[in-house]
Amino acid sequence: MSLFENTLKQINKAAKTMNLNPEITDYLSHPQRIIQVAFPVRMDNGNMKMFTGFRVQHNNHAGPYKGGIRFHPQVDMDEVKALATWMTIKCSVVGIPLGGGKGGVIVDPKELSINELERLSRAYFRAISEFVGPHIDVPAPDVYTNPQVMAWFADEYTKKYGNRKLGVVTGKPLEYGGSKGRASATAQGGVYVLDEYVKEHGLNPKEMTVAVQGFGNAGSFGAIFLAEMGYKVVAVSDSKGGIYNTDGINVEDTLTCKHEKGSVIECMKECGMHKENYENCKTITNEELLELDVDVLVLSALENQVTEKNADKIKAKIILELANGPVTPEADEILEAKGIDVLPDILVNAGGVTVSYFELVQNEANYYWTEEEVKDRLKKIMVDAYRAVSTHKKKHSCDYREASYTNSLHRLEGMINAKGITSN
Ligand code: GLU
């Protein structure tokens, strides 16, 4: 099953539950525009190499298309269509006035020098530049792209169209129009959601264990925040594998070590919460990490990690989806039957795009907020979204994913009806 088909399945399921007008379901099942580009990059050895990139503009009913750009060898059009659709749904879950889009380039950035990465980033953005703009379509970071790449994008756009058009991308460096709190926003938003869930269910973070799959931007900040709040982080992993310590892992030290050595499995000595118990550390595979007996499993790597093949082996009580699409619809059913609550991507990781929205607002106003202001506003939006989803969950007696969809689709329905589906 393709990822885009999975997305449509999720939409259709919720649409049926809430009796959504079938015309609206149909309207939201088609990306409005699909862009594919091929562009040359001069490599350091003097040879030219062709690359393929995509930008899918799913829907702009609520506002400009919005969503990240990923650089990854496995990027394909189907994946980008799914991710773009989730952005439309996600922005509506948190009620921000933005639509949905997503982009990607088929490339393994780890194989590029920094100069090649810059040339590739600029070339891709030039290739899509006539389709983006501060009020049209606003890209942002995603898997293996970062503030530096966003700075190259913004600079390339400005070179072509003149003026400082900072609002053409978000997730920029602080020194170049970025927002305080954007780098940690995805994880921060997810933690606010988990916190609200924990309060609602009368749980105590200090008695809860956590395993984190994926130690990139979202996963590493997520692990740090959860450890700060008193959760015991017992396992973390990256694409090469993971480390596990029942006594708890020192997340900050592990992160410093990963930056030095390249992978968490090289960090056995750093992973003990206290120097005397690092002997208890062991390496585990990503598959083993998913099946650990923990309270919270944080999924912050790629899509399709929990499928019908391993869902019945999951022992966690709560799954927090910081990544997009890590649990398939088939797995969802198995997890629901097992009584595992999946806090879904379109709610949990919406903090990233929410602070992107704040960045746009700050760029437009040319007035910048303190980190506290960003966090306070983010918290309010995430907590309100969680509560609205929780209400939908009770109303429809469904899981959190379906409730997030009904909440989102309900809002979209209101906006679409206000204007009418046909725009001309
Ligand atoms: N790539 C992030 C996401 O999947 C952020 C998108 C944005 O900030 O526009 O939500």
Side-chain angles (χ1 to χ4, degrees):
M1 170 88 57
S2 84
L3 200 65
F4 183 57
E5 280 169 30
N6 282 352
T7 313
L8 296 184
K9 240 189 186 179
Q10 293 166 340
I11 292 178
N12 283 318
K13 189 173 165 200
K16 212 169 142 199
T17 300
M18 64 187 281
N19 265 324
L20 185 67
N21 175 352
E23 285 189 354
I24 292 181
T25 312
D26 195 21
Y27 174 61
L28 292 171
S29 301
H30 296 83
Q32 290 173 336
R33 189 194 252 165
I34 290 176
I35 300 150
Q36 178 170 339
V37 292
F39 55 91
V41 177
R42 185 69 59 197
M43 308 308 278
D44 288 349
N45 65 8
N47 294 342
M48 183 202 90
K49 200 170 164 190
M50 289 302 294
F51 288 88
T52 300
F54 309 99
R55 183 75 186 166
V56 173
Q57 297 176 332
H58 173 259
N59 193 279
N60 64 353
H61 215 101
Y65 303 105
K66 186 82 193 79
I69 286 171
R70 78 172 47 175
F71 288 172
H72 195 276
Q74 258 100 51
V75 162
D76 64 32
M77 180 59 89
D78 176 80
E79 177 189 56
V80 181
K81 273 164 68 181
L83 292 163
T85 310
W86 279 327
M87 287 309 303
T88 302
I89 303 291
K90 190 186 298 186
C91 290
S92 180
V93 171
V94 284
I96 54 176
L98 295 169
K102 199 81 172 198
V105 177
I106 307 171
V107 59
D108 184 354
K110 290 178 186 161
E111 287 173 0
L112 301 184
S113 71
I114 184 80
N115 290 326
E116 288 169 340
L117 183 66
E118 175 170 357
R119 288 196 290 272
L120 174 122
S121 303
R122 288 182 183 275
Y124 166 71
F125 215 69
R126 264 199 310 279
I128 63 161
S129 62
E130 62 188 289
F131 304 106
V132 299
H135 300 286
I136 302 166
D137 181 359
V138 185
D142 197 73
V143 175
Y144 293 149
T145 54
N146 57 25
Q148 174 62 78
V149 172
M150 298 307 117
W152 290 325
F153 285 169
D155 184 53
E156 202 56 37
Y157 190 80
T158 296
K159 271 192 201 157
K160 191 164 169 186
Y161 293 99
N163 294 327
R164 267 164 63 98
K165 293 214 164 46
L166 287 173
V168 69
V169 290
T170 59
K172 299 179 292 293
L174 281 179
E175 301 78 4
Y176 190 32
S179 173
K180 295 216 167 84
R182 175 63 186 87
S184 57
T186 306
Q188 185 68 74
V191 168
Y192 288 145
V193 169
L194 180 65
D195 202 30
E196 210 46 34
Y197 171 97
V198 162
K199 276 189 204 143
E200 193 181 80
H201 290 79
L203 302 169
N204 179 1
K206 300 209 164 57
E207 291 163 4
M208 294 168 78
T209 54
V210 181
V212 182
Q213 188 212 24
F215 214 48
N217 176 278
S220 59
F221 274 115
I224 288 171
F225 293 151
L226 291 171
E228 274 171 12
M229 290 165 72
Y231 292 86
K232 194 202 273 183
V233 178
V234 294
V236 297
S237 71
D238 57 32
S239 58
K240 298 203 184 80
I243 51 176
Y244 175 46
N245 188 341
T246 45
D247 296 329
I249 284 171
N250 186 323
V251 180
E252 302 251 5
D253 286 357
T254 306
L255 186 60
T256 312
C257 167
K258 182 189 154 83
H259 285 150
E260 278 164 22
K261 300 187 184 165
S263 169
V264 295
I265 50 174
E266 306 292 329
C267 301
M268 300 288 283
K269 287 231 164 79
E270 287 74 10
C271 103
M273 186 67 104
H274 310 288
K275 288 284 178 257
E276 63 276 13
N277 65 17
Y278 71 70
E279 286 84 3
N280 296 345
C281 250
K282 45 181 195 170
T283 53
I284 49 171
T285 63
N286 263 296
E287 293 72 37
E288 287 167 338
L289 180 138
L290 297 177
E291 294 165 21
L292 286 177
D293 190 0
V294 287
D295 294 294
V296 188
L297 174 61
V298 181
L299 299 176
S300 38
L302 290 169
E303 50 266 12
N304 295 340
Q305 299 302 300
V306 180
T307 66
E308 76 266 32
K309 293 204 183 83
N310 61 354
D312 64 341
K313 297 191 201 121
I314 303 294
K315 295 179 204 75
K317 297 177 189 70
I318 305 157
I319 292 182
L320 191 71
E321 292 188 330
L322 280 180
N324 289 307
V327 176
T328 65
E330 295 76 23
D332 258 339
E333 281 175 24
I334 300 169
L335 296 171
E336 198 188 357
K338 278 167 71 93
I340 298 172
D341 276 336
V342 180
L343 296 170
D345 47 8
I346 51 169
L347 167 68
V348 166
N349 71 32
V353 73
T354 300
V355 178
S356 276
Y357 167 55
F358 296 165
E359 186 173 327
L360 278 178
V361 171
Q362 293 170 78
N363 290 158
E364 284 277 314
N366 201 16
Y367 176 75
Y368 288 83
W369 309 348
T370 64
E371 184 149 3
E372 258 198 335
E373 284 172 304
V374 170
K375 279 195 174 174
D376 287 350
R377 288 177 158 121
L378 174 65
K379 185 169 185 177
K380 175 154 183 18
I381 287 183
M382 299 309 295
V383 168
D384 285 353
Y386 175 83
R387 290 187 182 153
V389 166
S390 195
T391 306
H392 274 252
K393 184 178 187 300
K394 283 174 201 125
K395 181 174 165 198
H396 297 299
S397 313
C398 59
D399 63 13
Y400 282 95
R401 189 181 316 279
E402 200 176 339
S404 300
Y405 272 92
T406 58
N407 173 39
S408 168
L409 291 169
H410 180 72
R411 255 197 204 123
L412 278 163
E413 184 181 30
M415 282 188 278
I416 293 166
N417 282 340
K419 190 165 95 164
I421 282 189
T422 47
S423 54
N424 48 13

